[in-house]
Amino acid sequence: MKPVTLGVIVGNRGFFPDHLCREGRQRVLKVLEEEGFKAVALSEEDTKYGSIVTISDSQKCADLFKKHREEIDGILITLPNFGEERAIVNALRWSGLDVPVLVHAFNDDPEKMTIADRRDSFCGKMSTCNNLTQFGIKFSLTSLHTMDPEWPEFRADLQKFGAVCRVVGGLKKARLGAIGARPAAFSTVRYSEKLFEHAGISVETLDLSELFGMAGRIKADDPRLTAKIESIASYVPTQGIPTESMMRMARLGVVIDQWAQENALDGTAIQCWTAMQEYYGVVPCTIMSMMSDSLLPSACETDIAGLVGMYAMVLASGKPSAIVDWNNNFGSDPDRAVIFHCSNLPKALFVEEAAAAESALKMDYQAIIAGTVGKENTYGTVTGRLKPQTFTYCRVSTDDLNGKIRTYIGEGELTDDPLNTFGGYGVVCIPNFQKLLAHICENGFEHHVAINPSRVAPALNEAFTKYLGWLTYYHK
């Protein structure tokens, strides 16, 4: 993923020691570079020490940000001394940017509290935040009120803020593809396309008849087909899979890849059963798994709202997301459950070396529907056990009656508890899980949930609630 670019505002105030701004600016820019960020900031030639105090300084800062508006993902306000709050809010307002803002204040040193070195950033941060509130500018805070930029806590805050910037910026211009209609039996995955469009999330559609028609026109000697077959075979073990099923999968993959590229899509949701099996003769799970593994998430059952959750976590973490069912209890433990899908889960989430053959990653057939549509029409699932690790879960849904987007998020652990079953599966442990399950049921959330092998719930919560205005339950 491309580096996050921050516009940097160095606050200053005329009757405070301004030499602190020169040193503070240098330290902050150094830490940003070390943490993988790009910075857009006034130089020491533009204003005194690259800080802002006057109306002229604010205008220079605003003009600089306007010039780089297509690059800037967020704003960092740093206060080496008290800072001139009016200059800061004017620069932000005049820039016209609508991006996340992080407010940071330097620590005072008890050994340097004379008039020559005392910062008063502790107090100045409150004044800056007061003015941001008056101006209606949304902002985030560091985990501690004041902190040195070299501290690990500030570096962690920067990484969280970077994730917030990616989520907010990415979702405000997301383009998603819906392939096929919602399966008739899955009214649970209904959603409001208009509410998503209002939030900046566009949905392009492709009918299954178009997909099957375009796939059928691909000739056997098409080099794209050969390349796709080779990529499938190198992605997952395919022993025992009929050649014709591989050809059908590859044709689907070529068409979906081309359609997604032509429409600049960030992810897809596909009507994966049972029309696909009855009229085309394959499941699309492997193709979907490959897309998700390459950070272009793909959701089952045309679940566009679930896809939004998947994509949000891809943006936050830079890792592949999956969509699963909250599927079964696990014995009598109220904080454990089995998650499952048929599956199209990305390869990165599976165990690399399984202790038992049934847990090993492989291509298989869709066992649930094979009895009704014929096993020969259901090859293409990616099955195995999910590896033990920490994960974040996220569900996005549209509340059409109240015109709101709502979500729930949290974190848990994938465990290594013994389990012998089929599909793509794992055992999860979530503290106070029964409270979460009650919230899901009482508020009519879907049975699908997106998961990601990361700890990004705090960043999602900040992005969803503060900057996107989505109703969010953060389970802890």
Side-chain angles (χ1 to χ4, degrees), residues 96-108:
L97 291 175
D98 181 21
V99 295
V101 176
L102 179 64
V103 185
H104 161 252
F106 275 75
N107 261 1
D108 264 311

Side-chain angles (χ1 to χ4, degrees), residues 226-236 290:
T226 303
K228 181 58 72 174
I229 291 173
E230 291 175 352
S231 67
I232 293 172
S234 64
Y235 179 75
V236 61
M290 293 172 70

Side-chain angles (χ1 to χ4, degrees), residues 413-442:
E413 295 289 334
L414 277 157
T415 75
D416 59 359
D417 292 301
L419 181 66
N420 182 15
T421 188
F422 60 94
Y425 63 91
V427 177
V428 298
C429 180
I430 296 173
N432 205 11
F433 191 34
Q434 295 302 308
K435 181 181 178 183
L436 173 63
L437 293 171
H439 180 84
I440 292 169
C441 292
E442 289 173 352

